[in-house]
Amino acid sequence: MQRNPKILITGANGQLGQVLTKALRDRHGKSSVIASDINQTSDSDEHYLFLDILNTERIKETIDDHGITQIYHMAAILSASGEWNPSKTWNVNFNALLRILEIARDKKLDKLFFPSTIAVFGNTTPRTDTPQDVPLLPETIYGISKTTGELWCNYYFNKYGVDVRSVRYPGIISYQSIPSGGTTDYAVEIFHELLQHGKYECFLEKDTALPMMYIDDAIQATIQLMEAPKADIQTRIGYNLSAMSFTPATLFAEIQKYLPTAQIAYKPDFRQKIAESWSQSIDDSRARTEWGWAHQYDLERMVKTMLDNLSTQK
Ligand code: AKB
């Protein structure tokens, strides 16, 4: 029988971690969800821990002290920042996962969540409607660490029965925080810059299509996957996940409906090459069939929701 969940979140101060922590606390109660990060939180939170994910002993102590039964391992260095320090990125993104998989096995945790990404795709991957099972030859160290991580998750499930579940997140769009270090970050920055300054300089070319998802859908997918019956989860690498796909020009045109005087300029930097190695759109039919994934937000709804939330924050 499944125990009442007692959850540890790593990387809880990140773009997804912050919103996931709140969603899981709303669901299970604050004391059932321990948030942790290597960066201190600005809130006073008695259920928050400073935790270095490479400190194996401290993670084990945390699990014992709090009776942890599930880990959502969200801590990671993203695609653009990863390129500045590949060996650190490998250590944080991959070596930490390996330790956590071993801890999950040793402590007999009920479940483990591993966030993967569209960065696992590369130049050998079909770029449109990318299927679930495709050749993966990622260009970035972030993509390499996540691809290898997916394979190790699959291995730990098959060999040791660790119930590890994973999705390949597209770019995530949220109003709660400004992400940093990713290639898809432009799709959040643009809202802040256009609302505050009326103009935005985009680091990708206007016609670079990428798969994207509104934060509420990403959180819904994560929790739905983790709560799905074990028998439904036939895929132990990251599930493809999709909601919308757009270019900077399409996103700008949609925002301009609300902010008609807004202006944009395009000045692509090194992130353009990363974006071009990723998929433009994703076939996520496996997730939809196996555990009932369905997105709620398209481009129009996402843009309206972002502008509504950010305008009331100002
Ligand atoms: C990034 O841009 O690095 C991330 C991702 C797509 O995983 N947002």
Side-chain angles (χ1 to χ4, degrees):
M1 227 191 36
Q2 191 86 174
R3 299 173 276 185
N4 279 340
K6 191 81 198 269
I7 295 168
L8 173 66
I9 304 181
T10 69
N13 287 353
Q15 186 194 13
L16 275 157
Q18 284 178 27
V19 187
L20 182 64
T21 301
K22 183 173 179 326
L24 287 170
R25 285 180 170 170
D26 288 348
R27 216 166 175 83
H28 301 290
K30 192 164 184 188
S31 61
S32 295
V33 181
I34 307 297
S36 74
D37 203 289
I38 197 151
N39 297 311
Q40 293 293 353
T41 175
S42 48
D43 304 336
S44 65
D45 179 349
E46 55 181 318
H47 302 292
Y48 174 86
L49 292 177
F50 167 83
L51 190 64
D52 176 351
I53 50 164
L54 289 162
N55 188 340
T56 312
E57 287 315 307
R58 189 75 195 95
I59 295 174
K60 287 183 183 167
E61 275 166 27
T62 304
I63 291 173
D64 292 341
D65 291 351
H66 296 273
I68 298 298
T69 63
Q70 302 184 8
I71 300 180
Y72 287 67
H73 177 46
M74 308 307 286
I77 297 177
L78 298 183
S79 56
S81 332
E83 294 306 291
W84 299 117
N85 195 339
S87 54
K88 181 177 174 194
T89 304
W90 179 254
N91 216 18
V92 169
N93 288 5
F94 179 68
N95 287 332
L97 168 69
L98 206 49
R99 293 174 194 185
I100 285 179
L101 279 166
E102 195 48 37
I103 292 171
R105 172 189 171 205
D106 180 46
K107 301 273 180 200
K108 299 187 172 45
L109 295 189
D110 291 338
K111 284 176 201 168
L112 171 62
F113 178 76
F114 172 64
S116 189
T117 160
I118 54 166
V120 297
F121 302 128
N123 289 324
T124 55
T125 308
R127 296 204 67 211
T128 51
D129 286 329
T130 304
Q132 177 70 45
D133 295 320
V134 284
L136 301 176
L137 201 59
E139 297 278 303
T140 59
I141 189 65
Y142 172 61
I144 294 171
S145 65
K146 291 291 183 177
T147 304
T148 320
E150 283 194 17
L151 295 175
W152 276 83
C153 289
N154 190 48
Y155 182 78
Y156 263 72
F157 173 73
N158 287 327
K159 194 164 172 87
Y160 304 118
V162 173
D163 189 354
V164 49
R165 304 175 181 202
S166 177
V167 293
R168 292 171 178 161
Y169 289 119
I172 304 298
I173 300 157
S174 63
Y175 64 88
Q176 291 88 341
S177 61
I178 305 181
S180 70
T183 302
T184 59
D185 293 357
Y186 90 85
V188 179
E189 283 174 13
I190 190 171
F191 286 96
H192 291 270
E193 291 298 314
L194 292 184
L195 279 167
Q196 278 167 35
H197 307 295
K199 54 184 186 197
Y200 177 60
E201 188 175 278
C202 182
F203 57 76
L204 295 184
E205 292 278 15
K206 64 199 281 191
D207 55 359
T208 311
L210 284 172
M212 299 278 181
M213 180 174 284
Y214 184 58
I215 185 82
D216 287 11
D217 275 340
I219 299 300
Q220 165 65 25
T222 309
I223 295 177
Q224 193 178 343
L225 172 66
M226 286 296 271
E227 293 185 351
K230 198 171 171 181
D232 293 353
I233 311 302
Q234 299 297 315
T235 304
R236 294 294 173 159
I237 56 169
Y239 276 97
N240 277 7
L241 212 57
S242 168
M244 60 186 106
S245 187
F246 55 74
T247 64
T250 322
L251 175 59
F252 178 67
E254 188 59 30
I255 299 174
Q256 239 187 348
K257 290 182 187 167
Y258 301 88
L259 305 174
T261 58
Q263 291 173 27
I264 191 162
Y266 298 96
K267 200 171 171 207
D269 64 16
F270 72 102
R271 289 169 280 194
Q272 178 64 29
K273 189 165 172 279
I274 298 177
E276 282 172 14
S277 74
W278 293 351
S279 296
Q280 295 175 343
S281 59
I282 304 285
D283 174 353
D284 62 355
S285 46
R286 181 101 48 96
R288 290 176 192 262
T289 310
E290 290 188 8
W291 46 276
W293 155 245
H295 69 280
Q296 304 295 321
Y297 286 81
D298 58 12
L299 174 66
E300 290 75 19
R301 186 170 178 206
M302 177 277 286
V303 166
K304 181 166 185 335
T305 311
M306 283 291 288
L307 290 172
D308 285 350
N309 279 292
L310 289 173
S311 308
T312 52
Q313 267 180 18
K314 279 175 44 166

